[in-house]
Amino acid sequence: MRLILEKRAETPLAMTIASPLIAVALTLVSAAVIFLAMGQDPWAALHVYFVAPLSDSWGLQEVAVKATPLVLISVGLALCYRSNNWNIGAEGQFLVGAMAGGWLALATHGAPQGPWLLPSMLVVGAIGGALFALIPAVLKTRFGANEILTSLMLVYVAELLLDWLVRGPWRDPQGFNMPVTVTFEPEAVVPLLLEGGRLNLGTPIALLVVAIVAVLVGRTLKGFEIRLVGEAPRAARFAGFDERRLTWTVFAISGALAGLAGILEAAGTVRMLQPGISPGYGFTAIIVAFLGRLNPVGCLIAGVFLAITFIGGENAQIMLRMPLDVTRVFQGLLLFYVLACDTLLLYRPRLVRSAAA
Amino acid sequence: MTLLEAILLTVITASTPLLIAAIGELVVEKSGVLNLGVEGMMIMGAACGIVAAIATGSGAAGVLAAVLAGMAMAALFAALTLGLAANQVAAGLALTIFGIGLSGVVGAAHVGAQREGIGKLEIPLLSDIPFLGPVLFGQDPFVYASFALTAGVAWFLTRTKAGLILRACGESAASAHALGYPVLRIRFLAILFGGACAGLAGAYLSLVLTPFWTSGMTAGRGWIALAIVVFASWLPWRAALGAYLFGGITILQLHAQGAGFRVPPQLMSALPYLITIVVLVAIMRLRRGGTAGPANLGTPFVPDR
């Protein structure tokens, strides 16, 4: 017996929706097995991981807070991946956005500030992320340098740049030598939506972005161009679409969204700059993009699910003394299953006898 | 021991894991598969290597465990990309994320546990030659292995029929299949070889270079190995040159930091990554945009019976 793949003539709609759900279900089963192997009660552990974060208002707010950067980044990445541009440096673009916007907050610190400050910070953050993302894009179109490697290398560069800034020129003089900047002034902080929680204006901004990108992809010529270049590059060339311009566009958009996510995180949740302001959002967003089937609304749903795993992982570390890395294992497994299930969309797997083949 | 001698010795130790991992990936890519999961396989090798070495008290058992861990990770990648024809870029990224996470879980109980590194294999008489002796003949077994691997792979790819078939799978899987060669099986073996090499490189990190475990200890070396393959234009001996170039830069920036240059240490630490980018751009300029890579690199192949 062996497995062969037969190409499907068309993709059934039911499979398109079912495949990410199957992937999530398989991840949950694998999680239970891993918990069992680690000597935990699988039901109790699954509850801590995937149910408890949703059981009270505080937990729900935390899920929204964690989902916001994931959704923002993944929506941009989905545009890139659809057009065969492999930007995997969103983590770096996130940090540069936080630094660029944070720079404005620090430069005006202690000076009279106005309501213009926060919007300007968000814009500067997005521009910073976009410019940083344009580096691998230009290196790709101008020199043919592999964007996967260059965008990833720039993540390390951004991390070290942030480290230098908060230990050097931007360090809070009253910070007891800790590598942190001063806490941002109230005008430079993203306003909270509810009393006594952490939910802030960033979440509605992310929802707005999802809506805009969904319209852009589904209803405009640019969106068609992005899809066409990814799915049929030859046809796109015949149609006269400029592939280089498109590469710049999608990198700039995804960099801007990652940068926006970065400054929202710095000015909303952390309220200062410090190393480790991101628990790997830029990398997890890659998984979100694929789980969301490279579709903006899909990214929204997938972002909420992965946010739950982040909170569940933190809870499990405290309550069950499990290493935080378990979360990454689940996230990696989830992406494996998503990719495996995607095959079911394109091919019909069939077991045949070896002799017949 | 002179300073130059000391620098040369440290350059060798910094370059060896890069070379081993790059040679493995080179074979994988020559067969037409792009495995971006080198970082994940390498760090699993590092974690399993040190855990097995501590558990058994034997360095050899650690190395074996690391190689097997790398191969197991590679088999997972192969199941997805060959068995299910999944997107290779995404599967490689998944392998890296998964490996970094799993290595943290595997190594959690052993963070910082010290262990005596694997000793050097000094060749009698030859290692007594002044200067050249310790550098060329007083190294640990991995260093010799890395050069044996390079020579072996160079010979295999250019001088054997099996190597020719492997390259055919990378240039045109459809033609190789039409000639009756089992493309998927050949690619599977290549991926396993790449996994074994990445695991071995990981073992070098946790058993020789810094004989203890810290999570995330590969620090992007797997990605640099991938860049070295591009830099080398898929030629084994040029990969060795690339590995020593990057190893040299890593050590130079460490010595520059130690010597108290008035440059931020973060800038020095960023140098290997920045230089990777510069080198990638420079090599593409030299090639005038042509890739020189296998024509079918990264495209899944589904045999139509």
Side-chain angles (χ1 to χ4, degrees):
Chain A
M1 297 285 275
R2 66 194 196 103
L3 181 76
I4 61 159
L5 300 174
E6 267 176 14
K7 198 139 195 142
R8 284 182 199 272
E10 56 188 307
T11 305
L13 181 67
M15 283 304 292
T16 317
I17 298 165
S19 101
L21 295 179
I22 298 171
V24 168
L26 288 171
T27 307
L28 293 181
V29 172
S30 311
V33 173
I34 292 173
F35 289 137
L36 206 61
M38 293 178 80
Q40 303 278 351
D41 173 11
W43 279 118
L46 279 177
H47 189 269
V48 168
Y49 240 96
F50 298 103
V51 183
L54 299 173
S55 55
D56 56 13
S57 150
W58 188 85
L60 284 172
Q61 286 197 42
E62 281 300 297
V63 169
V65 166
K66 289 265 194 305
T68 299
L70 291 176
V71 171
L72 274 173
I73 303 169
S74 63
V75 164
L77 290 182
L79 290 181
C80 283
Y81 298 163
R82 276 200 165 206
S83 58
N84 260 331
N85 285 293
W86 295 98
N87 174 13
I88 60 170
E91 180 83 1
Q93 293 141 24
F94 177 96
L95 294 177
V96 169
M99 284 184 266
W103 162 78
L104 202 57
L106 296 174
T108 58
H109 191 80
Q113 296 161 355
W116 54 270
L117 180 61
L118 184 66
S120 324
M121 281 166 59
L122 299 187
V123 170
V124 172
I127 293 175
L131 289 179
F132 201 60
L134 276 172
I135 300 173
V138 170
L139 294 182
K140 178 185 180 179
T141 56
R142 180 81 177 76
F143 302 106
N146 183 316
E147 78 274 24
I148 300 173
L149 294 172
T150 51
S151 64
L152 187 95
M153 291 296 146
L154 287 172
V155 174
Y156 294 99
V157 174
E159 279 175 355
L160 288 161
L161 179 64
L162 175 63
D163 195 73
W164 174 66
L165 285 174
V166 298
R167 284 174 205 278
W170 288 3
R171 187 170 63 189
D172 178 7
Q174 269 97 52
F176 304 103
N177 256 340
M178 297 273 281
V180 293
T181 64
V182 291
T183 306
F184 292 172
E185 300 265 13
E187 286 93 341
V189 166
V190 183
L192 293 174
L193 291 184
L194 298 171
E195 278 295 313
R198 298 211 304 162
L199 190 66
N200 61 45
L201 199 61
T203 307
I205 292 177
L207 290 173
L208 186 67
V209 165
V210 169
I212 293 172
V213 175
V215 170
L216 175 86
V217 174
R219 299 265 180 276
T220 65
L221 183 64
K222 198 82 201 162
F224 176 67
E225 197 181 324
I226 290 171
R227 280 180 287 152
L228 190 64
V229 167
E231 282 160 31
R234 246 170 81 82
R237 237 165 280 143
F238 286 135
F241 290 144
D242 186 343
E243 223 174 303
R244 294 172 359 127
R245 293 263 304 266
L246 184 75
T247 298
W248 299 339
T249 310
V250 290
F251 263 92
I253 294 176
S254 74
L257 292 180
L260 180 63
I263 184 60
L264 281 172
E265 184 74 10
T269 316
V270 190
R271 299 183 181 185
M272 61 170 77
L273 292 178
Q274 62 181 50
I277 52 174
S278 164
Y281 285 136
F283 294 114
T284 308
I286 298 173
I287 303 174
V288 174
F290 279 102
L291 182 63
R293 307 211 48 80
L294 305 184
N295 168 303
V297 179
C299 288
L300 176 64
I301 301 166
V304 171
F305 179 73
L306 276 148
I308 295 172
T309 67
F310 265 119
I311 315 235
E314 285 169 10
N315 290 349
Q317 189 187 24
I318 298 162
M319 292 161 68
L320 308 173
R321 309 187 61 79
M322 283 206 283
L324 208 53
D325 285 312
V326 175
T327 311
R328 265 183 203 263
V329 175
F330 292 158
Q331 292 176 351
L333 274 178
L334 178 61
L335 185 49
F336 282 139
Y337 288 129
V338 168
L339 295 172
C341 290
D342 274 5
T343 302
L344 299 178
L345 301 177
L346 290 173
Y347 302 97
R348 192 196 310 274
R350 210 195 263 174
L351 278 174
V352 292
R353 263 200 220 111
S354 299
Chain B
M1 198 187 276
T2 63
L3 180 66
L4 182 65
E5 207 178 294
I7 291 179
L8 273 178
L9 286 176
T10 46
V11 167
I12 293 173
T13 50
S15 311
T16 300
L18 296 177
L19 177 55
I20 297 175
I23 286 292
E25 177 66 15
L26 190 145
V27 172
V28 179
E29 292 191 11
K30 271 290 183 190
S31 80
V33 178
L34 178 65
N35 185 353
L36 292 181
V38 181
E39 182 87 2
M41 301 189 293
M42 200 191 232
I43 199 158
M44 275 301 286
C48 294
I50 186 95
V51 168
I54 288 173
T56 60
S58 144
V63 173
L64 184 68
V67 169
L68 290 177
M71 288 172 79
M73 292 284 285
L76 200 59
F77 174 83
L80 272 174
T81 55
L82 302 181
L84 294 170
N87 181 319
Q88 294 177 7
V89 174
L93 292 174
L95 197 67
T96 292
I97 294 170
F98 178 71
I100 291 174
L102 192 58
S103 67
V105 176
V106 169
H110 299 279
V111 173
Q114 277 281 353
R115 186 179 177 280
E116 203 179 320
I118 290 179
K120 300 209 178 274
L121 192 71
E122 298 200 342
I123 297 171
L125 294 178
L126 286 177
S127 62
D128 295 333
I129 303 171
F131 187 69
L132 277 183
V135 173
L136 289 182
F137 304 108
Q139 296 298 333
D140 48 76
F142 288 85
V143 177
Y144 304 124
S146 71
F147 281 99
L149 263 177
T150 311
V153 165
W155 172 78
F156 171 78
L157 286 177
T158 53
R159 295 271 180 271
T160 68
K161 190 177 177 208
L164 186 67
I165 297 170
L166 182 134
R167 283 189 290 145
C169 294
E171 295 298 338
S172 173
S175 313
H177 177 67
L179 288 171
Y181 295 118
V183 174
L184 291 185
R185 196 178 311 157
I186 290 164
R187 287 188 168 177
F188 179 62
L189 292 175
I191 292 174
L192 280 188
F193 177 76
C197 287
L200 189 64
Y204 189 79
L205 296 181
S206 67
L207 294 176
V208 179
L209 198 58
T210 52
F212 56 85
W213 164 255
T214 48
S215 65
M217 70 185 299
T218 45
R221 284 187 181 87
W223 292 104
I224 291 181
L226 279 158
I228 288 172
V229 178
V230 179
F231 165 81
S233 307
W234 291 267
L235 297 170
W237 284 109
R238 215 183 281 179
L241 179 72
Y244 275 80
L245 183 70
F246 282 101
I249 292 162
T250 315
I251 295 307
L252 272 187
Q253 59 94 0
L254 278 181
H255 279 278
Q257 283 186 35
F261 270 94
R262 298 193 54 78
V263 186
Q266 289 91 347
L267 178 63
M268 300 308 268
S269 306
L271 265 187
Y273 307 114
L274 287 170
I275 288 180
T276 305
I277 297 172
V278 171
V279 163
L280 281 173
V281 170
I283 201 77
M284 294 317 282
R285 268 205 86 131
L286 283 178
R287 269 190 233 135
R288 294 168 194 279
T291 62
N296 270 10
L297 183 59
T299 23
F301 176 69
V302 179
D304 49 352
R305 281 190 277 179

